[in-house]
Amino acid sequence: MDCKRCKRCGCFFVSTNDVCPKCELKDNSEIIKLRNYLDNNEVYSLDEISSNIGITQANLARHISSDEFKNVYKNLNKNSLAKGFNNISISL
Ligand SMILES: [Zn+2]
């Protein structure tokens, strides 16, 4: 296996994940928060989600670009355009 650099804390670790085992726990709890938030709110921008649930934009972008949230991302773009927000861009 390759040595990778954690996308959250920057430490080096050996795994197939993007984050180290320590940060994986944080990722998981953020994803649960995100899921709950998206179930109960209509969202227009990453900014809004980020400040409402306290996830940094970088981490949020990472979560929302996963398969689970692909449709959310699409809707987000649509909604944000309709509301006059700048189109969000996520580099995958
Ligand atoms: Zn880490």
Side-chain angles (χ1 to χ4, degrees):
M1 276 198 286
D2 291 337
C3 195
K4 284 181 137 185
R5 188 158 197 185
C6 174
K7 293 208 169 164
R8 285 189 76 115
C9 69
C11 77
F12 290 95
F13 66 105
V14 178
S15 166
T16 53
N17 294 329
D18 285 339
V19 293
C20 70
K22 235 167 140 185
C23 292
E24 204 183 333
L25 295 174
K26 293 183 202 162
D27 262 14
N28 287 340
S29 75
E30 283 184 356
I31 286 168
I32 291 167
K33 263 198 244 173
L34 181 59
R35 208 177 279 145
N36 282 335
Y37 183 78
L38 294 173
D39 279 348
N40 297 303
N41 298 276
E42 200 169 354
V43 290
Y44 299 105
S45 71
L46 283 185
D47 246 353
E48 188 192 349
I49 307 172
S50 167
S51 55
N52 279 325
I53 55 176
I55 299 179
T56 67
Q57 292 229 10
N59 286 328
L60 191 56
R62 205 159 43 77
H63 300 323
I64 221 158
S65 62
S66 71
D67 277 350
E68 178 183 349
F69 298 115
K70 250 187 197 139
N71 286 330
V72 176
Y73 176 46
K74 273 189 218 147
N75 284 333
L76 198 56
N77 260 330
K78 219 168 52 193
N79 288 347
S80 66
L81 281 177
K83 285 266 171 179
F85 282 103
N86 287 332
N87 206 356
I88 55 163
S89 62
I90 294 176
S91 50
L92 298 175

